[in-house]
Amino acid sequence: MRDKLGGWPYEIKKDDGKTVIHFYPKGEDLKHPNAPKFTLSLDKEDLKKLAKLG
């Protein structure tokens, strides 16, 4: 089972020094549950900006 962030299932991986977050559809009995709904690719500067929000 994937972790959830804001109610959205997600997976995180590292790719060429960037953090890539794939968000997947939420709900049950979905037609394509493994097709990412949207993806964020964050570098170090982006992660610093996000850390300041909390």
Side-chain angles (χ1 to χ4, degrees):
M1 176 162 246
R2 296 180 171 121
D3 287 332
K4 289 189 177 186
L5 183 64
W8 290 88
Y10 74 96
E11 290 179 346
I12 296 176
K13 69 175 188 170
K14 298 281 185 173
D15 188 24
D16 293 329
K18 292 186 177 185
T19 301
V20 179
I21 307 171
H22 296 287
F23 288 92
Y24 295 90
K26 57 183 174 178
E28 295 182 18
D29 300 324
L30 300 169
K31 188 173 182 179
H32 302 288
N34 294 320
K37 188 77 169 173
F38 60 96
T39 300
L40 292 174
S41 180
L42 306 168
D43 61 15
K44 288 182 182 181
E45 293 300 317
D46 295 329
L47 292 172
K48 287 180 185 177
K49 290 176 188 176
L50 285 175
K52 290 180 183 178
L53 295 176

